[in-house]
Amino acid sequence: MRRSTPSLVFASLLSLCPVLAAGSFSPSRAAFSESAAPWGLAAGDSMSYTAAFVDYDGDADPDLFLNNHWKGAANLFRNDGGTPPFITQSDHLGNGNQDRHDQIWADFDNDGDPDQYVCRPRNQSNQLYWNLGLDTWLEGGVAAGVDEVDSRGREITVADFNGDHRLDIFLASDFRAGFVRPNRLFWNNGDGTFTAHPNATPLYEARLHVSGVDYDQDGFPDLILTSEAFHPGALWKNNGDSTFTDVTAAAFPGITDPLAQGQALSWADYDNDGWLDLLVGGGNRGVWDHVSQEGDSLRWYLEADPNVTKFLDVVTDGDSVTVSAITSAFTEPTLWYGGADSSASTFPVTLPLSELDGSPPALTMSTQGLYLWRQPGAGSDTLRFVVGGSGGSGLLEVGGTLRPNGSGVLSWSTQNVSPPPPYSTNDWSNRLFHNEGDGTFTEVTSTAFAVNDTTANAKSTAWGDYDNDGRIDLFVANGGTVDTGNQLNQLYRNNGDGTFTDVAVAEGLDGAGVAGMSDGGVWGDVNGDGALDLLVENGAEHPPFGVGPRQLFLNAPNGNHWIRMELRGLTSNGSGIGTRVRIKSATAGEQWRFRLGESDNCFSDDSALHFGLGADAVIDTVQIYWPSGQLDTYEGVLTDRSYFAIEGKPLRVTVNPHLIVNTPTLNLNVGVGQQIQRSVVVDNFGGVASRYVAAYKNCAGLQTVSWLSLDVDSTLVWPGGRPPLQLTVDATALSGGTYCGEVIFQSNSFLGPDTLRVNLTVQDIAVPAVELTALPTRFGLGAPRPNPTGVAAAVDLALPAEAAVAVSVYDVSGRRVRSLLEAVRPAGTHRIGWDLRDDSGRRAAPGVYLIQARSGELRATRKIVVAD
């Protein structure tokens, strides 16, 4: 982990480790093509400890958040309708380098859009960013009580742990010798604040990695905590009364330390039996104040105290040693050795023991560097290794390898080092555990994977049905090690019989030839073609390999069908976290997806659920099991589109939000000193939520007016929603005359801001407040806007008197495509929207259509062109 003080890491540099052999799968062409540059993501190296696809602005496409740990500011990229490039938004996290780790997006205040929680180690306050809509953020970590300034926040998981339909936060903390900070569970109070749960049990001891899901489906999310280095890990069952019990032994019967060295934790129902299975990615990273021995090599990790000198003494019967050294700033330090004050700064270097007699004179000068010599009076086979010179130099992180030539290290000892329990790098195997549905897991690794490299360092894992065949596949980002160098990534294709085949090479995702070491990958359909794309970060900090580029791999559709589904809880938490979705279709059969509130080692896939359907163009049944107990069932659902599922509401096809004001113009007549109110209705004819913020301007748009106001200046309008608003016109401070003001509804609508114009006449004498009779003089339809259109459109309906009216869309053959309105409407002008869908939810094909309004014998028709 990058620190603000320079640090040293020593390692022997070996050849790359063997790659997992690919199976028999051999596509005619690679599915993925690297496309970071056209999407605006190829600007320099990155050191992202975290990445997430998230639709933060509610426009039905996944946006992208990328951290940049100690190598620049974090970046939030807005997806502009699936068309490159991403649009860089204002950096709401602040500019400059920061020690940021995990972050997670969730609707903590149940207002319909995801907020962001960010954890920062090194005695920095964690941050909670409230999403106010329209790229506006409010940082409120301290006010909410989740800043936890004394933590070393490493990973986050979010779930409704106590069943109150509000999302709670579990924060896993890092470990450093002499600097232990507990994990923390924050209960969501529902008023914008959180309460820290008492942490008196082992659940709250620092464990680095956390995952929170309801593995046993009892309605209460459980927790897994692991550390790849100094603790075997544990599964904690949620008892439903704010307590947790360690059930590791019972849940994994007959398996010793099933979660040991678990660096990546990811869940998916890979066999579609309705139960979440667990993938534990094995790996490791440096543990400070620790020495490990692998064969004849020693690796020393040290958190140095500038006031305490720490030694490593090595006893060997060899006649030379080989040393490799690199700083975590990716520079080679100076190694001083022997009494002649000899030095080396190019590694690896092999030194005969005969040249190491006498301590280096530079050591007494506290010169920053490495010092190696043969101990006087301690025998010719004892070497002393010191970092930083006399009294230390403030170096914080140190690792080292001493490799004697021709013989092994006989023994070693340290001074002023109190290491955590030892760990081994002998077996970093990934492990797959099948959920039996009775509270237990069975390890199926040996049958699932034909080859499972025990030295691959899995940094994070991500599940996604990349080929849309109805079986969820697995991507593994391997970070490599200082010993092995970079390691190739793996893409395991799910064969549907409980086995997986590594097709990373064939599909173009192995990462060969890429600088740096992969940190992780996240799935999301960035261009809306129904095929999951993959963002890969190569910024893992493993000297001397530096950091590499971020890569965006676009996935070419293969003709298989698909759906994407966004969830919105009403009684349940707003993000729908904890929801289970079951679909059933003719050939793909039954599938399950789960809405989880976590990231895998700081990387988060798109929160929308993605299903591949193979050859099925229609889904027989969709069933959504909400955490509240609500069950929503839909039949005959068409594929190849994105849906928006609101708890207890009809399933809607998602299109860009289409926000319009039903009353475009108000003509009012008041006397001096009067204040009046009028009702205003805002409609969302789109298929996703739309947030508006009202602005009040004069009709020239030159200045703000104070005599107009709404009772709700900003809110989220759900698909099909029609929130009634009260408009106040306050003429108490106005003199006689005419005024013109506008309420501008700025939103994420495809059509842009919609406007309500108020023409106001203020009379010097007291008169009743009335609406002037400047009504339409005849029945008719205004010109559709925009026209042509590729997403949505609106048209104004003019009624000179109250009437029953019907507005419909027809194709040029006269067949009715969509009914837009059948109701009685008062006299005035009414705005009608069309989302370019027909009555069954299918998108209208490109071409010419007619919008027709009918009222009794009256007819009005307008032509509209639907673009591709």
Side-chain angles (χ1 to χ4, degrees):
M1 178 175 59
R2 180 64 66 103
R3 309 293 290 261
S4 58
T5 308
S7 57
L8 305 175
V9 178
F10 310 79
S12 61
L13 308 181
L14 305 180
S15 61
L16 292 177
C17 69
V19 184
L20 293 186
S24 58
F25 175 73
S26 180
S28 59
R29 59 178 175 80
F32 294 92
S33 58
E34 208 289 308
S35 305
W39 282 82
L41 300 178
D45 295 337
S46 62
M47 192 178 288
S48 177
Y49 269 22
T50 180
F53 279 124
V54 56
D55 183 12
Y56 80 91
D57 57 355
D59 63 355
D61 50 34
D63 309 298
L64 177 62
F65 175 83
L66 292 174
N67 198 2
N68 207 351
H69 182 254
W70 285 129
K71 203 172 176 65
N75 294 309
L76 179 60
F77 297 98
R78 180 167 62 82
N79 190 337
D80 188 18
T83 302
F86 284 115
I87 298 173
T88 303
Q89 297 303 110
S90 58
D91 177 22
H92 66 281
L93 292 180
N95 294 318
N97 299 337
Q98 292 189 31
D99 192 5
R100 290 183 292 261
H101 283 180
D102 199 9
Q103 54 80 52
I104 202 157
W105 296 81
D107 187 2
F108 293 114
D109 53 2
N110 287 340
D111 70 345
D113 45 24
D115 312 298
Q116 185 186 36
Y117 183 58
V118 181
C119 63
R120 305 191 303 167
R122 295 178 55 84
N123 295 331
Q124 300 175 91
S125 295
N126 297 328
Q127 297 163 317
L128 176 59
Y129 289 91
W130 298 108
N131 186 347
L132 305 182
L134 303 182
D135 292 301
T136 305
W137 307 89
L138 174 65
E139 202 291 302
V142 174
V146 294
D147 54 310
E148 197 72 359
V149 68
D150 290 330
S151 76
R152 291 191 65 89
R154 187 74 183 191
E155 282 191 24
I156 310 162
T157 192
V158 170
D160 178 11
F161 288 107
N162 57 0
D164 62 0
H165 308 309
R166 298 190 291 263
L167 291 174
D168 311 303
I169 300 171
F170 191 97
L171 174 68
S173 236
D174 201 349
F175 175 92
R176 289 288 188 273
F179 194 92
V180 179
R181 294 295 182 265
N183 302 326
R184 187 75 75 183
L185 175 58
F186 297 100
W187 300 115
N188 188 336
N189 299 320
D191 59 359
T193 68
F194 294 74
T195 299
H197 186 66
N199 56 358
T201 70
L203 172 66
Y204 300 98
E205 295 173 2
R207 291 292 180 267
L208 290 179
H209 304 296
V210 63
S211 176
V213 302
D214 185 8
Y215 79 94
D216 54 359
Q217 295 186 24
D218 65 353
F220 293 98
D222 312 291
L223 287 163
I224 281 186
L225 288 109
T226 65
S227 168
E228 67 270 30
F230 57 87
H231 188 274
L235 170 61
W236 293 83
K237 177 176 171 54
N238 188 340
N239 300 318
D241 60 359
S242 301
T243 67
F244 295 79
T245 300
D246 185 346
V247 296
T248 311
F252 300 89
I255 306 175
T256 302
D257 292 339
L259 307 174
Q261 295 190 209
Q263 182 168 243
L265 299 169
S266 60
W267 299 84
D269 181 9
Y270 74 87
D271 58 351
N272 286 321
D273 65 354
W275 295 90
L276 278 170
D277 309 302
L278 173 64
L279 190 285
V280 179
N284 222 314
R285 69 179 182 90
V287 179
W288 319 122
D289 278 358
H290 183 69
V291 178
S292 68
Q293 182 171 352
E294 302 293 332
D296 60 1
S297 297
L298 293 180
R299 184 178 300 157
W300 186 24
Y301 295 91
L302 174 67
E303 185 162 46
D305 183 336
N307 300 311
V308 178
T309 299
K310 298 181 179 181
F311 298 152
L312 171 64
D313 287 342
V314 182
V315 180
T316 176
D317 59 6
D319 55 12
S320 64
V321 294
T322 298
V323 179
S324 292
I326 196 75
T327 74
S328 62
F330 313 119
T331 59
E332 293 182 313
T334 299
L335 169 67
W336 305 91
Y337 61 90
D341 226 10
S342 300
S343 64
S345 58
T346 301
F347 301 95
V349 60
T350 299
L351 304 173
L353 299 189
S354 59
E355 296 184 14
L356 302 182
D357 290 334
S359 61
L363 181 66
T364 62
M365 300 168 58
S366 299
T367 301
Q368 180 172 312
L370 319 178
Y371 300 89
L372 175 65
W373 71 93
R374 187 154 50 178
Q375 279 287 84
S380 62
D381 57 359
T382 300
L383 308 179
R384 172 152 288 187
F385 198 21
V386 173
V387 178
S390 177
S393 65
L395 299 173
L396 295 177
E397 301 171 5
V398 179
T401 298
L402 297 178
R403 184 179 297 280
N405 284 352
S407 58
V409 173
L410 300 182
S411 64
W412 54 270
S413 63
T414 60
Q415 179 175 330
N416 292 327
V417 175
S418 301
Y423 68 98
S424 171
T425 59
N426 289 331
D427 186 0
W428 292 358
S429 299
N430 298 329
R431 282 149 284 163
L432 181 61
F433 296 100
H434 181 264
N435 190 336
E436 301 298 331
D438 59 0
T440 68
F441 294 85
T442 300
E443 184 172 1
V444 294
T445 310
S446 59
T447 57
F449 305 107
V451 178
N452 189 18
D453 192 341
T454 62
T455 63
N457 186 14
K459 292 288 290 183
S460 79
T461 55
W463 293 91
D465 185 2
Y466 85 92
D467 53 1
N468 284 337
D469 64 354
R471 302 185 292 266
I472 197 164
D473 312 297
L474 174 66
F475 175 76
V476 180
N478 288 313
T481 71
V482 288
D483 285 332
T484 65
N486 199 359
Q487 296 171 332
L488 300 189
N489 300 324
Q490 290 133 355
L491 176 64
Y492 288 106
R493 184 175 184 267
N494 188 336
N495 299 318
D497 58 0
T499 68
F500 295 79
T501 300
D502 182 10
V503 296
V505 174
E507 298 287 35
L509 288 183
D510 59 310
V514 178
M517 297 180 178
S518 295
D519 238 356
V522 289
W523 296 106
D525 182 8
V526 300
N527 55 3
D529 62 2
L532 285 174
D533 310 304
L534 184 70
L535 185 284
V536 177
E537 281 284 356
N538 297 289
E541 185 180 3
H542 288 289
F545 302 98
V547 295
R550 53 178 62 124
Q551 297 174 291
L552 178 63
F553 292 95
L554 294 186
N555 185 359
N558 59 6
N560 285 344
H561 297 286
W562 57 275
I563 65 166
R564 178 181 182 268
M565 185 177 295
E566 286 273 10
L567 301 176
R568 163 61 181 169
L570 295 181
T571 301
S572 304
N573 66 83
S575 295
I577 289 172
T579 301
R580 298 175 292 133
V581 179
R582 170 188 176 271
I583 71 170
K584 188 176 186 301
S585 59
T587 58
E590 182 175 279
Q591 295 184 60
W592 289 85
R593 295 289 185 270
F594 296 72
R595 174 68 168 98
L596 306 179
E598 62 178 40
S599 55
D600 179 33
N601 204 357
C602 306
F603 286 79
S604 300
D605 299 323
D606 183 12
S607 60
L609 303 180
H610 179 93
F611 294 83
L613 276 302
D616 296 332
V618 178
I619 302 170
D620 298 334
T621 307
V622 174
Q623 291 182 304
I624 304 179
Y625 297 79
W626 298 91
S628 65
Q630 169 78 26
L631 171 61
D632 293 333
T633 301
Y634 312 95
E635 296 180 348
V637 176
L638 300 177
T639 61
D640 300 332
R641 60 207 64 200
S642 182
Y643 288 97
F644 195 88
I646 302 176
E647 186 174 9
K649 305 293 183 181
L651 191 65
R652 294 180 62 92
V653 175
T654 59
V655 296
N656 279 3
H658 177 31
L659 192 68
I660 62 173
V661 182
N662 279 82
T663 307
T665 305
L666 283 175
N667 299 293
L668 300 175
N669 183 14
V670 300
V672 171
Q674 288 185 331
Q675 182 184 93
I676 62 173
Q677 290 185 328
R678 287 293 185 267
S679 178
V680 176
V681 176
V682 175
D683 279 338
N684 183 1
F685 286 91
V688 295
S690 179
R691 177 175 294 282
Y692 78 81
V693 174
Y696 308 95
K697 302 285 186 179
N698 65 13
C699 289
L702 300 178
Q703 63 186 35
T704 300
V705 297
S706 58
W707 51 273
L708 288 175
S709 64
L710 288 170
D711 58 337
V712 181
D713 284 333
S714 174
T715 192
L716 202 75
V717 185
W718 293 107
R722 305 180 73 245
L725 307 174
Q726 284 291 97
L727 175 70
T728 298
V729 179
D730 187 357
T732 55
L734 300 180
S735 58
T738 59
Y739 300 84
C740 183
E742 292 181 336
V743 184
I744 303 170
F745 292 84
Q746 298 170 325
S747 74
N748 54 335
S749 173
F750 166 76
L751 297 174
D754 209 19
T755 301
L756 164 62
R757 173 169 290 210
V758 179
N759 296 312
L760 179 66
T761 299
V762 180
Q763 297 187 16
D764 289 329
I765 60 173
V767 297
V770 296
E771 188 166 346
L772 298 179
T773 58
L775 296 174
T777 58
R778 61 176 183 159
F779 178 85
L781 284 174
R785 65 178 182 92
N787 190 13
T789 179
V791 179
V795 62
D796 286 344
L797 169 68
L799 291 179
E802 181 179 288
V805 63
V807 181
S808 299
V809 179
Y810 297 86
D811 63 21
V812 291
S813 69
R815 182 183 64 89
R816 193 179 78 170
V817 174
R818 177 74 176 272
S819 172
L820 301 179
L821 175 68
E822 288 189 20
V824 175
R825 286 288 183 263
T829 303
H830 306 271
R831 193 156 292 162
I832 312 297
W834 181 34
D835 59 7
L836 305 194
R837 301 282 168 176
D838 63 18
D839 285 327
S840 64
R842 298 182 183 88
R843 189 187 187 278
V848 177
Y849 293 84
L850 303 174
I851 301 177
Q852 185 179 86
R854 307 184 315 277
S855 180
E857 298 299 320
L858 299 175
R859 297 287 186 274
T861 303
R862 287 283 186 169
K863 182 174 69 175
I864 185 169
V865 177
V866 174
D868 194 357

